Amino acid sequence: MVLDVNEPQVWVLIGVFATAIFGMIGIVTTSFNRTLTTTVSDLREAIEARFETMDARFEAMDAKFSGKFEILDCDIQSLSCHLFGADPR
């Protein structure tokens, strides 16, 4: 027995399969969107943590160098005063 395309059972099956396909597309799209959002959020947090670490390291280096530059500036100032005759010695 072969069913023709004008039989109601055939149209019901076509409707059921179409609904199932559209439902699966919706579920897969939602799942992919959630996965992508979570991945991007995790990546953003990792990048922000890396930048915070880099900022802390730069601040430590800045504090380390600023102290050395103050000492060096003081030494250069005393040498220039001595060489150019402004030294009261």
Side-chain angles (χ1 to χ4, degrees), residues 52-81:
E52 289 175 4
T53 303
M54 287 175 57
D55 286 341
R57 285 183 175 183
F58 281 131
E59 287 175 7
M61 291 297 289
D62 187 38
K64 184 178 176 181
F65 280 128
S66 67
K68 290 187 178 189
F69 284 136
E70 288 174 4
I71 294 171
L72 186 62
D73 184 40
C74 207
D75 290 344
I76 291 174
Q77 204 172 31
S78 68
L79 283 173
S80 64
C81 287

Side-chain angles (χ1 to χ4, degrees), residues 13-51:
L13 286 176
I14 291 172
V16 168
F17 287 137
T19 304
I21 288 173
F22 284 125
M24 287 303 294
I25 289 172
I27 290 171
V28 168
T29 303
T30 304
S31 175
F32 180 72
N33 188 19
R34 286 182 184 169
T35 303
L36 188 64
T37 303
T38 304
T39 304
V40 169
S41 177
D42 292 344
L43 184 61
R44 182 176 290 141
E45 288 175 3
I47 290 172
E48 288 177 2
R50 182 70 61 162
F51 276 124

